[in-house]
Amino acid sequence: MYISTFGAIALGMIAVDAFRDTSPFFFYSTSEVLAPFPEIASAASLSKQIKPELAKCLSDTYVIISQPGVSAADYSSQFSAPHLRNAMSGDDKQVRSSFTVTDVLGTLDSSALMDTVKERCGAAVLSVDASTGSFDVIDDMKPRVIRLDFPALPAGPRRANQLSDNDAFLASMLNTLPSSNYTVLYTTSSVSADHQPLMTESRVYEMENTFSPSLHMDLKRDLSMGKRASGDNITLVDGPLFERYQFFTPGIFMGLLIGLLLLVILYVGISGLSSLQVSYAAFDKENGPAAQKKQQQ
């Protein structure tokens, strides 16, 4: 039983290490594409599945995007890539088919995909560098394949903002296309050591100061009292006696308060008993006519 348990843990660790070097792939088109894509695939097998669909030349424009240094966690926020999210979720009514491969092992060769469209569809090639922040406007209806290269995302708080800017750049370029018949292939590469996702960054949590200065003084005093010098000697903190020791604690205060309350109750009880008075005549015998009649009867 222990051997099977350890074997399952080892397989789980191997699976985690395998998915650590994966990256997502997004595909959406205004044409009807019926080929199903798996959620997990290698770059080589995924390329074999995509090329037959590209060879059909269903779209006028093919946009092949390369985004290095990302993971699926970068796209988990709804604000990271809103245009891409709308296209993949079906909110964009122009998009008729969309597929997502969450984990692609390896890097998908975007150049090979571009060559397939170029050879099979006779499309012209246009390269766009998103780092320049500009692109040439297309004013003809010729088949075209556009290669859009995004720079690697920076590490730190600006990572999500850069991803959102890239998404806005893609949306602007798609809006300037002369034809609404297009296909987008969004390829990514895994996160390198220099570009970790934002959600995995370590954060230092600082606790607010909710303790009083006197309590801080007591804690510091206890720590300093706990340090012992060589041998059995104890090093004491210099200062007056009332700064080194605490003589009046909350426990002592509550004990004194309850003791005072009990003393008050005891005093009231003793005072009530002592206030009882009985006349001495109550203990004398009756000598009047009424007493003589009772004796005769």
Side-chain angles (χ1 to χ4, degrees):
M1 180 177 179
Y2 289 105
I3 296 176
S4 61
T5 303
F6 288 132
I9 295 175
L11 290 177
M13 294 177 63
I14 294 173
V16 170
D17 291 335
F19 289 119
R20 186 178 299 174
D21 295 331
T22 61
S23 59
F25 170 76
F26 306 99
F27 178 96
Y28 62 94
S29 176
T30 56
S31 303
E32 192 70 26
V33 180
L34 301 179
F37 293 123
E39 294 184 359
I40 302 174
S42 63
S45 62
L46 184 59
S47 180
K48 292 180 180 179
Q49 290 180 308
I50 295 175
K51 287 181 179 180
E53 297 299 325
L54 298 180
K56 296 178 182 179
C57 302
L58 299 177
S59 300
D60 297 331
T61 304
Y62 289 86
V63 181
I64 301 177
I65 303 167
S66 176
Q67 174 63 73
V70 293
S71 65
D74 291 303
Y75 299 92
S76 60
S77 175
Q78 59 180 350
F79 304 106
S80 58
H83 174 266
L84 179 61
R85 178 178 291 272
N86 292 336
M88 303 306 297
S89 61
D91 294 338
D92 191 349
K93 302 305 179 182
Q94 292 183 349
V95 177
R96 301 179 60 184
S97 57
S98 61
F99 304 97
T100 303
V101 182
T102 308
D103 298 294
V104 178
L105 183 59
T107 302
L108 197 61
D109 190 1
S110 57
S111 299
L113 300 178
M114 184 177 60
D115 292 339
T116 301
V117 178
K118 179 182 176 181
E119 295 174 0
R120 297 297 183 90
C121 305
V125 178
L126 176 63
S127 297
V128 177
D129 186 5
S131 61
T132 60
S134 61
F135 55 89
D136 297 332
V137 178
I138 303 173
D139 55 358
D140 54 39
M141 300 295 294
K142 296 180 181 180
R144 197 175 305 273
V145 54
I146 302 175
R147 177 169 179 173
L148 177 58
D149 294 326
F150 285 128
L153 300 181
R158 294 183 60 253
R159 185 178 183 84
N161 296 334
Q162 184 62 45
L163 187 61
S164 179
D165 293 341
N166 295 346
D167 183 73
F169 185 89
L170 173 61
S172 300
M173 190 184 67
L174 293 178
N175 291 333
T176 59
L177 295 178
S179 174
S180 60
N181 187 14
Y182 59 85
T183 298
V184 176
L185 293 87
Y186 199 114
T187 66
T188 62
S189 60
S190 61
V191 182
S192 62
D194 297 331
H195 302 89
Q196 295 294 332
L198 181 61
M199 63 181 300
T200 59
E201 291 182 354
S202 60
R203 297 182 179 179
V204 179
Y205 176 76
E206 295 181 358
M207 186 176 64
E208 296 181 357
N209 187 6
T210 58
F211 300 100
S212 60
S214 61
L215 185 56
H216 274 293
M217 185 181 298
D218 296 335
L219 293 175
K220 293 179 180 180
R221 184 184 306 122
D222 293 338
L223 291 175
S224 60
M225 291 284 291
K227 295 180 180 179
R228 295 178 177 271
S230 58
D232 296 333
N233 296 329
I234 300 176
T235 303
L236 299 178
V237 180
D238 296 334
L241 181 64
F242 288 94
E243 290 185 3
R244 287 187 293 170
Y245 299 98
Q246 185 176 4
F247 296 96
F248 196 71
T249 62
I252 296 176
F253 176 75
M254 290 187 290
L256 292 177
L257 186 62
I258 294 174
L260 180 62
L261 180 62
L262 294 177
L263 288 177
V264 171
I265 294 174
L266 179 63
Y267 173 76
V268 173
I270 294 175
S271 299
L273 291 176
S274 63
S275 63
L276 296 177
Q277 297 180 359
V278 180
S279 62
Y280 292 102
F283 300 98
D284 296 340
K285 295 182 178 180
E286 295 182 0
N287 296 324
Q292 293 177 2
K293 291 180 180 181
K294 289 182 179 180
Q295 292 177 358
Q296 292 177 359
Q297 293 178 357

